Amino acid sequence: MEKLQKIIEEIIKEEKLIYSVFSNLKNKNKNGSYYWVYAIISPEYDEDNFIIGYSAIRQDITAQKEIEELNKNINIKDINLENNIYKKQNNIKLDLSAIAKGYTTELVGKYLEDNNIHSYIINAGGNVKVGKAYKKEYYKVGIADPLNPSDIFIKLNINNKSVVTSGDYQRYCTMDNINYNHIINPNTKYPSNYMHSVSVVSSSSSLADIYSTYLFLLPVEEGQLIVDNTDDIEAIWYIDENNIVKS
């Protein structure tokens, strides 16, 4: 903190402050690590409006700066696919977790149907695809209760459909008694907490996987508008045990 105080004093000296100054300041701890503070430096006046000193208000913004650093290389324009060749720039990394399982499940289903196997159940963990029910009217697919995952809160009767669920109850970490799930909003750089889960029903497992992730990041009202205006998808939002919304 001594170095930080010196930085503030230097700003005061160089700027000869008359008005308040806002600044992000980087400082070094004794252990060698760095931290950031957002500082507001303001002059103090006496009753005759003469400056008699300065005060500084500081807020630790280290976590915010760390997130900004981690999210430097997220520009989709740095990824290019030409003639089935994947090219990237600026050390960008591609995470396919929002689509890979759904896409793979869809391929497996197509393979079965291409080989005249039309009655099947594929359970890929959160991604379920079924063909035509065998010797019955339909398959029953249960959706786990996010607040008690060993229980089912709803059963769906489906044929030739996929059901994909995105939620906050399986992949998460807890810090300071707050749960942080694994689905990150690209705008805020933090997980969204509008619901505990959303399940999407579609004839395409790929499409259901994409939209379940997308809808999880949006307020329910915005998600409903998207579902209402998109062919081949329906959705069930589990906000809490007393608030379950269906499209």
Side-chain angles (χ1 to χ4, degrees), residues 28-80:
K28 191 173 185 179
N29 286 312
K30 290 181 179 180
N31 63 8
S33 64
Y34 288 92
Y35 67 95
W36 285 84
V37 297
Y38 172 67
I40 304 174
I41 308 167
S42 304
E44 296 179 348
Y45 298 89
D46 63 12
E47 58 185 12
D48 296 317
N49 211 31
F50 287 102
I51 295 175
I52 57 174
Y54 297 89
S55 62
I57 300 173
R58 298 182 289 249
Q59 178 185 0
D60 192 316
I61 58 169
T62 305
Q64 175 186 329
K65 285 294 183 180
E66 289 174 347
I67 290 172
E68 290 175 2
E69 184 67 26
L70 289 171
N71 284 277
K72 278 184 176 179
N73 300 321
I74 59 171
N75 190 342
I76 192 65
K77 293 182 179 179
D78 287 335
I79 298 172
N80 195 18

Side-chain angles (χ1 to χ4, degrees), residues 113-173:
E113 292 174 7
D114 287 346
N115 286 273
N116 293 318
I117 301 173
H118 300 288
S119 296
Y120 58 85
I121 301 174
I122 304 170
N123 187 349
N127 295 56
V128 176
K129 182 176 180 64
V130 304
K132 187 179 185 305
Y134 181 68
K135 291 185 178 180
K136 51 187 174 183
E137 189 177 353
Y138 43 71
Y139 286 114
K140 284 184 178 288
V141 175
I143 301 177
D145 183 337
L147 303 182
N148 188 5
S150 61
D151 287 344
I152 291 172
F153 79 90
I154 192 171
K155 293 180 181 180
L156 305 179
N157 300 327
I158 60 173
N159 263 320
N160 298 308
K161 293 286 186 180
S162 294
V163 182
V164 179
T165 298
S166 293
D168 65 0
Y169 55 95
Q170 287 191 331
R171 297 173 63 186
Y172 64 90
C173 67

Side-chain angles (χ1 to χ4, degrees), residues 5-247:
Q5 188 62 39
K6 288 181 180 178
I7 292 172
I8 293 173
E9 290 173 357
E10 288 174 6
I11 291 175
I12 293 171
K13 182 179 179 181
E14 290 179 10
E15 300 293 337
K16 298 179 181 177
L17 292 182
I18 299 175
Y19 304 104
S20 295
V21 168
F22 307 84
S23 183
N24 293 337
L25 305 174
K26 185 179 182 181
N27 199 24
K28 191 173 185 179
N29 286 312
K30 290 181 179 180
N31 63 8
S33 64
Y34 288 92
Y35 67 95
W36 285 84
V37 297
Y38 172 67
I40 304 174
I41 308 167
S42 304
E44 296 179 348
Y45 298 89
D46 63 12
E47 58 185 12
D48 296 317
N49 211 31
F50 287 102
I51 295 175
I52 57 174
Y54 297 89
S55 62
I57 300 173
R58 298 182 289 249
Q59 178 185 0
D60 192 316
I61 58 169
T62 305
Q64 175 186 329
K65 285 294 183 180
E66 289 174 347
I67 290 172
E68 290 175 2
E69 184 67 26
L70 289 171
N71 284 277
K72 278 184 176 179
N73 300 321
I74 59 171
N75 190 342
I76 192 65
K77 293 182 179 179
D78 287 335
I79 298 172
N80 195 18
L81 186 64
E82 292 182 359
N83 299 321
N84 212 30
I85 298 174
Y86 163 62
K87 297 179 181 180
K88 66 176 185 176
Q89 304 178 65
N90 298 326
N91 198 34
I92 194 168
K93 295 179 180 179
L94 192 60
D95 185 344
L96 299 174
S97 59
I99 187 174
K101 192 188 292 186
Y103 177 71
T104 304
T105 301
E106 188 68 19
L107 289 182
V108 174
K110 185 177 185 305
Y111 174 82
L112 294 174
E113 292 174 7
D114 287 346
N115 286 273
N116 293 318
I117 301 173
H118 300 288
S119 296
Y120 58 85
I121 301 174
I122 304 170
N123 187 349
N127 295 56
V128 176
K129 182 176 180 64
V130 304
K132 187 179 185 305
Y134 181 68
K135 291 185 178 180
K136 51 187 174 183
E137 189 177 353
Y138 43 71
Y139 286 114
K140 284 184 178 288
V141 175
I143 301 177
D145 183 337
L147 303 182
N148 188 5
S150 61
D151 287 344
I152 291 172
F153 79 90
I154 192 171
K155 293 180 181 180
L156 305 179
N157 300 327
I158 60 173
N159 263 320
N160 298 308
K161 293 286 186 180
S162 294
V163 182
V164 179
T165 298
S166 293
D168 65 0
Y169 55 95
Q170 287 191 331
R171 297 173 63 186
Y172 64 90
C173 67
T174 303
M175 295 180 65
D176 300 325
N177 295 318
I178 300 174
N179 288 351
Y180 295 91
N181 66 72
H182 68 294
I183 304 177
I184 307 300
N185 187 313
N187 295 321
T188 66
K189 311 301 186 294
Y190 283 91
S192 295
N193 294 295
Y194 298 112
M195 66 208 70
H196 287 295
S197 76
V198 59
S199 301
V200 174
V201 182
S202 172
S203 62
S204 166
S205 182
S206 300
L207 196 66
D209 205 358
I210 293 169
Y211 273 97
S212 69
T213 303
Y214 182 33
L215 295 177
F216 188 82
L217 295 173
L218 298 176
V220 175
E221 295 77 11
E222 290 184 27
Q224 286 178 291
L225 289 174
I226 289 170
V227 172
D228 289 343
N229 290 281
T230 304
D231 293 335
D232 194 22
I233 63 169
E234 298 294 341
I236 302 170
W237 293 265
Y238 189 110
I239 302 164
D240 59 51
E241 59 184 341
N242 298 313
N243 193 358
I244 296 170
V245 177
K246 302 176 186 178
S247 63

